Structures are given as C-alpha cells and as structure tokens.
Amino acid sequence: FPYLAFLFFLNVPQNETPKGVTVGFATCLLFVFLTIPAAIAAKIWYGVSLADSDWLHGSAESLLTVTNLVTVVAFRQGLSYKEQEQSGNTDVQIPESVLSYDP
C-alpha cells in the first residue's frame, strides 16, 4: 500500500507533478501485476523461474522499459517547460503530458 500512497501524493495539485509522470509510475503497477502471472506461467509451463524463460522475461522487461520511458519523457517535458517559463519566455507551449493523462 505504500506505493498507492505515493501515487496519491504524486497527484496532489500543490506538487505540480506532470500528469504523464503519474501515468508512468502507475504503469509500473501494471508491470508488477503482469509479471506475477508470467512467473507463474513460467513455473507451470516450463518448470523454470521467470528469469530462465527468455520470451516471458523479455516481454515483462520490455513493459518495464516502456514504463521508464513514459516517466522520463514526461519529467523531461515538464522540467523543460518550467525552465522556459522561469526564464521569461512567453511563447512557451504547455506540453500535453503536463496537463493530461492521455498518451
């Protein structure tokens, strides 16, 4: 439950966390929830751990990679916007990942 509390406090408006960052960290839960059945399937179907089943392990890790990419890109866009805004640039367009949960 601590991770759910982290997601909740990440969403507090005073934090000004870009919405894409919340999406990235929430997809990490998806990685966890999909890795558990993959580990069970590896044990039942092949009699090995998830780390020893290349295609299952690779699929799970690729989902984690996508999660990390979403988080990093959203943080980067949010920080870039803040830097431009603080430098006095008035032509700055707010990135979609700052305002919306949409991909």
Side-chain angles (χ1 to χ4, degrees), residues 1-58:
F1 293 112
Y3 197 77
L4 294 177
F6 165 71
L7 288 176
F8 173 79
F9 287 114
L10 195 64
N11 241 357
V12 172
Q14 292 84 356
N15 290 337
E16 298 181 6
T17 306
K19 304 294 185 206
V21 171
T22 305
V23 169
F25 281 120
T27 13
C28 190
L29 279 178
L30 181 64
F31 162 74
V32 171
F33 290 137
L34 291 178
T35 301
I36 294 168
I40 293 169
K43 194 60 154 174
I44 291 172
W45 292 341
Y46 305 116
V48 297
S49 70
L50 179 61
D52 294 329
S53 175
D54 287 340
W55 76 272
L56 282 172
H57 186 248

Side-chain angles (χ1 to χ4, degrees), residues 28-103:
C28 190
L29 279 178
L30 181 64
F31 162 74
V32 171
F33 290 137
L34 291 178
T35 301
I36 294 168
I40 293 169
K43 194 60 154 174
I44 291 172
W45 292 341
Y46 305 116
V48 297
S49 70
L50 179 61
D52 294 329
S53 175
D54 287 340
W55 76 272
L56 282 172
H57 186 248
S59 300
E61 289 299 322
S62 65
L63 179 59
L64 184 59
T65 301
V66 170
T67 296
N68 291 338
L69 283 173
V70 168
T71 305
V72 168
V73 167
F75 261 130
R76 189 174 189 284
Q77 288 176 345
L79 289 173
S80 176
Y81 167 70
K82 278 290 188 189
E83 286 175 355
Q84 290 179 4
E85 187 181 52
Q86 288 176 350
S87 69
N89 188 351
T90 58
D91 300 342
V92 180
Q93 239 185 359
I94 301 175
E96 192 67 31
S97 67
V98 171
L99 301 174
S100 173
Y101 294 111
D102 292 340

